[in-house]
Amino acid sequence: MTAGISLNAQAGALADRMIADAARLRIGVSAGPQGETLIDCGANHLGGIEAGLALAAVCLGGLGTVTLMPSEATPRWPWHVAVQSSNPVTACLGSQYAGWALKDEAESFFALGSGPARALARSEAIFEELPHRESAERAVLVLESGRPPPRSVVESVAAACGVAPDRLSVLFAPTSSLAGSLQVVARVVEVALHKAHTLEFPLDRIVDAVGSAPLSPPHPDFATAMGRTNDAIILGGRVQLFVTGAAKDAAELAEGLPSCKSSDYGAPFAAIFKRAGGDFYAIDPLLFSPAWVAVTAIETGETFRGGTVSAELLDASFA
């Protein structure tokens, strides 16, 4: 489905456009100590919504569109981040998913890596199930971080990707920033695909996807900001998947996919996180999915729906 496509080449071109528009986007561009390109989208530079839209497109490896749209689904939070991809599995799970844990304990650095550099490194178990094979002379990495990666992380990422450090571009923004929060909300489709994978729905049968979630207001406190971005998807996200195969399979997926199927559903994420003792992994993983889903079986024309948007809980989180 993505033969002949280089996610890193496409994302690199998008990153180059961001560099050319750095002043307008209010982002910072610099060279790291090993020649790596550092693009600060919201740490020591203001960034903003447009920077976040560009950052989210980079995360998708150039295989998706990310825009803002008005929505009446959440009346008090009418602006939604809308995402569409006709190669959703590669774009979302092969690139956008923040599945690469990067750390340097001596530097007290930890960040989750996303973006197409993951498809070069292929260090995560999910790549055993993804057919896409990546070839590129340049690697592009996105970090949910308030500072650039230390030397050791740059070296390990470059080595894993098979490129020299000066061929690595790193874009970063903390979740507390406007750009950082937007790019997390833009994972609404990716979250749906990841849960579909957890439910053991065959990934090769998901052929197109579209989704949206309300743009969450940023917050300077990390835990609050993280809660709001999660709630944007869990409480207000809507996704439609287009799948092949039997309609009954599409119906079962629509039934199991929404966040309300989780035993932890029913409160803003910050409250759930506190109840779990601040342990992210103590939270039921089935919670991480959109609030409402539709699954269309394209061979029969039938569409099945599940879940509901909770404007009341979303207000409690965003207020």
Side-chain angles (χ1 to χ4, degrees):
M1 186 180 296
T2 52
I5 292 175
S6 171
L7 300 172
N8 283 277
Q10 294 185 154
L14 294 174
D16 287 343
R17 290 181 208 166
M18 293 178 69
I19 292 171
D21 286 343
R24 184 173 61 82
L25 294 174
R26 302 182 303 203
I27 61 177
V29 181
S30 62
Q34 298 177 89
E36 69 273 18
T37 299
L38 301 173
I39 305 177
D40 177 349
C41 297
N44 295 311
H45 290 77
L46 183 60
I49 289 175
E50 192 169 359
L53 293 171
L55 182 61
V58 169
C59 280
L60 288 162
L63 284 182
T65 60
V66 187
T67 58
L68 281 182
M69 57 169 276
S71 172
E72 296 181 358
T74 52
R76 294 188 63 192
W77 313 100
W79 290 102
H80 280 222
V81 181
V83 181
Q84 186 278 326
S85 177
S86 292
N87 294 282
V89 174
T90 301
C92 295
L93 299 184
S95 187
Q96 188 185 29
Y97 176 55
W100 196 358
L102 301 167
K103 62 182 178 180
D104 182 326
E105 294 181 359
E107 295 284 343
S108 299
F109 180 88
F110 176 83
L112 293 175
S114 59
R118 295 176 51 246
L120 282 173
R122 297 184 67 85
S123 60
E124 303 157 45
I126 187 67
F127 284 100
E128 297 175 7
E129 302 178 51
L130 301 180
H132 179 78
R133 293 296 183 273
E134 181 78 358
S135 176
E137 298 179 353
R138 173 185 183 182
V140 182
L141 178 72
V142 176
L143 297 178
E144 296 176 31
S145 173
R147 61 181 173 121
R151 185 184 191 93
S152 63
V153 171
V154 170
E155 289 176 346
S156 64
V157 168
C161 293
V163 300
D166 64 0
R167 299 296 296 166
L168 173 65
S169 296
V170 182
L171 299 87
F172 62 98
T175 307
S176 58
S177 68
L178 189 51
S181 61
L182 188 152
Q183 73 88 13
V184 175
V185 173
R187 298 172 185 274
V188 59
V189 172
E190 174 255 294
V191 169
L193 264 64
H194 191 269
K195 184 163 181 183
H197 175 254
T198 300
L199 296 174
E200 299 184 348
F201 188 87
L203 294 176
D204 61 355
R205 289 174 54 187
I206 303 174
V207 298
D208 220 315
V210 62
S212 73
L215 178 63
S216 61
H219 195 282
D221 175 68
F222 168 75
T224 303
M226 178 186 67
R228 289 180 173 184
T229 55
N230 275 284
D231 285 335
I233 296 172
I234 294 168
L235 303 174
R238 298 180 297 168
V239 169
Q240 184 164 5
L241 303 180
F242 298 84
V243 305
T244 60
K248 67 177 181 63
D249 296 341
E252 290 176 2
L253 181 60
E255 170 67 21
L257 204 54
S259 56
C260 62
K261 293 298 179 178
S262 166
S263 59
D264 277 333
Y265 180 86
F269 186 82
I272 297 170
F273 188 65
K274 182 178 181 180
R275 189 171 65 213
D279 182 358
F280 194 86
Y281 296 100
I283 299 171
D284 177 14
L286 296 181
L287 178 68
F288 300 100
S289 49
W292 179 94
V293 301
V295 181
T296 297
I298 60 175
E299 292 165 7
T300 68
E302 296 171 88
T303 297
F304 307 91
R305 298 168 181 83
T308 185
V309 169
S310 177
E312 181 179 351
L313 286 175
L314 195 69
D315 285 348
S317 173
F318 285 9

